[in-house]
Structures are given as C-alpha cells and as structure tokens.
Amino acid sequence: MAILEGWLDYLNKVGVAYWLGGIAGLISILVVRSILKKVGKRLIHSERWQVLWKAFVNWTTLFVLVVYLLSYLSNTPWLYETLFTFGDTRVTIFLILAVLFVVIVAVRFSNAVKKHVLPSVYSRYELDRGMQATFNTLFQYVVVALAILVALSSLGFNLTSLTVFASVLGVGIGFGLQNIMSNFISGLIILFERPVKVGDRIIIEDTIADVEEIKMRATIVRTRANERMIIPNSFFLEEKFINRSYADTKLRISVEVGVAYDSDVRLVKQLIEESIKELNEEIWHNILADPEPRVFFENFGESSLDFKVWFWIDQQADEREFRIPSDLRFKLFEKFKANDIEIPFPQRDLHLIQQK
C-alpha cells in the first residue's frame, strides 16, 4: 500500500508531460526499429543474412528499450522500493526486471547460437543428431545459469542468500519434490550417459516411437500414429525398454509363409531367395547383402509347411521395417501363384462313422 501511495505522489509531482515524453520516446524507438528492418530487407538479399539482421535489430531494440526505461524512470521511488528481503538482499522491482531482461537475452542468444553457429560446427565434426541435441541442451543450461549468476552478482545480490533458498528447496524435495528432482537429474544423466538420444527408435510396451526431444523433466517421443508420448526421464533409468538405434540402425526382419504339403520345398526356398533379390534391385536398395538373407524350413504345421526368411535392412527410416515385409509378401504371393504353389488355409477332416 505504501508503494502505491508513493507512486501516486510521484505521478502527481512530475505531471502528465513527463509520461507523455516517455511514451513519445518509446514510439520513436519502435519507429526506428521498423525503419531498420525495412532497410535491411531492401539492401540484404541473402536470406541467412536477413535473418541475422532481424535478430540483431530485435536484440538491439530490446536492449535500448530496457536501458531507456530504466534511465527514464531512475528517479521513480517505486522502482527501487523494497518488495521483500531475501536473506541479506533487498529485492526490488528494478532487480526483478534486470534479472528477467538478462534471462531473456541469454535465452535469445543461446537460441541464435544453436540455430546459426553450432550447426556448422556439428557438420564439420560429423556429429549425429542425438549428440547435437545433447550439446544444444547443455549449452543453453550453461548460458542461462551463468547469465543469471553474473547478473545477480553485478546488481549487488548477495549470493550467500541462495543458501536460504537451498535449505528451503531441500525441505521441499523431502516433502513433495522428489519426483520432479528425480526426473531432472535423470535428464542430466541421459544427456551424458546417452542410453537414449534424440532420433533413436525405441519400443515401450509394444509401442514403437521415435525420440524427438529430451527436456528437463520429460522426454517427448512420436509414435507411428503421429501421437506424442510424454515420458518421465526417470523411466529410461529405472524401467526396461528396447532401443533399436543404440548401437547401430541396422535391423533384422523376419517374414513367415506357409505352403501346401505337396509343394516342392527346394523350389519354395529358391522363390523366396529370388523375391528378396528382386525386391532389392527394384525398390528397396537398402536390403543388405551382408549378412545375407537366410531361409529356414521351420516346421511341419497342421495344414502347411512353414518357412521363415531373415534379412537385414540398413536403417529404420520411413517405416521400412513394415513396408518391406509387406512388399515381400505381395511378391511371394505372385511368384507362388505363377509356379502353382498353394498357400493353404486351415483344414479339418471330418470322418463319419455309420452305425449298423
């Protein structure tokens, strides 16, 4: 209440002209920003340099706005009034605004570096997508943390006051934040140990999904139905799951087929091998020759002779582990039909006993 009364007294003291001048200054800054953007768009023809110019103008405008406002309002009593005391440090509106400004600039800076600088470094050292995501996340954490610490220390914030916050946080963790902190620490372990990384294909409870993003608390994965699953980071350290991309992207595919009992089994084996070879030459060039495909006469079934074929593909992109087996079954059906090999259906013999 005292802060509001002090601010109203100051408003009456300086008069309306003071505030109109401030508003005019803000409008002038925004007009200059608009002019600079139009000039850059007209003079700069490279799309990449246009993006960098816009980012530079936006950052500069934000910096000028903050400095202008803090300078223009430097004599206002409410800006430096104590809101509360944190340890030995007086927390004011100016302190809060300054820290928010530093955080915003740090986030914008880290995002710009991730978008325009780090990709060239990654391509130079041929880092995979998962390693890139790890470095991006760690880089942003470090930049924001350092920016906050530097800002607080520069503004006279007593960092020893954070021990009070740490003690309060410890009590909070003991009573209700165990799960949040567990997932946060698990996220850091995942980024360093990398049991799962961005771009990996994983299987969780018979659901196949691709890892899209590893955040502070949870990991975002995309299923084959284009649905997003949000999984706590601790899951990947405590539960069992399958990571198809952990060592490499190769995958063995198994296709089963049954033929009638009167079929020529040698011909069946030959047709299966030919089908895989033709499929490789015509459509799917990523079917591997090493390890070579293998055909197994698996079992004498109730109604059919059961065969199984194993073959390997080099990667799992574009749902190839589902599309290739489907195309192989189409080709097998055509070849068996052309060679008079029957694919049987379950049959039962019914014997009738006539009683005299």
Side-chain angles (χ1 to χ4, degrees), residues 199-213:
D200 281 357
R201 173 155 294 185
I202 61 176
I203 302 177
I204 300 177
E205 297 178 355
D206 298 328
T207 300
I208 300 175
D210 296 320
V211 179
E212 284 197 336
E213 188 176 2

Side-chain angles (χ1 to χ4, degrees), residues 59 104-114 139 143:
W59 285 19
I104 293 173
V105 171
V107 172
R108 294 288 299 273
F109 171 75
S110 62
N111 288 336
V113 172
K114 288 191 301 182
F139 176 77
V143 169

Side-chain angles (χ1 to χ4, degrees), residues 9-243:
D9 292 339
Y10 179 78
L11 178 62
N12 293 327
K13 181 179 179 182
V14 298
V16 178
Y18 176 82
W19 297 105
L20 290 178
I23 295 173
L26 290 176
I27 295 175
S28 301
I29 294 174
L30 296 177
V31 169
V32 172
R33 170 179 174 269
S34 178
I35 294 173
L36 289 175
K37 279 193 170 183
K38 291 181 178 179
V39 170
K41 186 176 182 180
R42 178 171 298 182
L43 298 179
I44 301 174
H45 303 290
S46 172
E47 183 177 353
R48 179 182 178 185
W49 285 105
Q50 282 187 5
V51 173
L52 291 175
W53 173 253
K54 289 180 180 179
F56 172 76
V57 172
N58 290 334
W59 285 19
T60 304
T61 303
L62 179 62
F63 178 76
V64 172
L65 280 174
V66 172
V67 173
Y68 172 77
L69 289 174
L70 294 180
S71 301
Y72 199 82
L73 301 175
S74 60
N75 296 324
T76 55
W78 58 269
L79 191 62
Y80 299 97
E81 286 285 346
T82 302
L83 298 178
F84 59 90
T85 302
F86 190 82
D88 298 330
T89 303
R90 294 169 48 249
V91 178
T92 63
I93 296 178
F94 172 78
L95 179 62
I96 295 175
L97 292 176
V99 172
L100 287 176
F101 171 70
V102 170
V103 171
I104 293 173
V105 171
V107 172
R108 294 288 299 273
F109 171 75
S110 62
N111 288 336
V113 172
K114 288 191 301 182
K115 184 176 181 180
H116 301 291
V117 178
L118 293 182
S120 60
V121 177
Y122 297 150
S123 60
R124 178 179 179 182
Y125 293 99
E126 298 181 353
L127 297 182
D128 59 64
R129 182 185 174 191
M131 184 66 75
Q132 293 178 23
T134 299
F135 275 120
N136 285 341
T137 303
L138 292 177
F139 176 77
Q140 188 161 37
Y141 287 172
V142 171
V143 169
V144 174
L146 289 178
I148 293 175
L149 291 177
V150 171
L152 290 176
S153 60
S154 300
L155 295 171
F157 189 90
N158 187 3
L159 295 180
T160 57
S161 301
L162 293 177
T163 56
V164 178
F165 175 74
S167 62
V168 174
L169 181 62
V171 175
I173 292 173
F175 283 100
L177 299 179
Q178 302 99 322
N179 190 33
I180 295 176
M181 291 304 298
S182 172
N183 288 316
F184 174 73
I185 300 301
S186 298
L188 294 178
I189 294 174
I190 289 173
L191 290 175
F192 283 101
E193 189 176 303
R194 305 180 76 206
V196 61
K197 58 185 182 297
V198 173
D200 281 357
R201 173 155 294 185
I202 61 176
I203 302 177
I204 300 177
E205 297 178 355
D206 298 328
T207 300
I208 300 175
D210 296 320
V211 179
E212 284 197 336
E213 188 176 2
I214 300 175
K215 295 189 174 183
M216 293 179 62
R217 191 194 66 83
T219 296
I220 312 299
V221 301
R222 179 175 58 85
T223 67
R224 291 178 57 219
N226 202 34
E227 299 170 334
R228 268 61 179 183
M229 294 175 58
I230 302 175
I231 304 172
N233 289 328
S234 59
F235 174 88
F236 296 102
L237 302 181
E238 299 172 357
E239 304 293 337
K240 292 181 180 180
F241 67 97
I242 297 175
N243 187 344

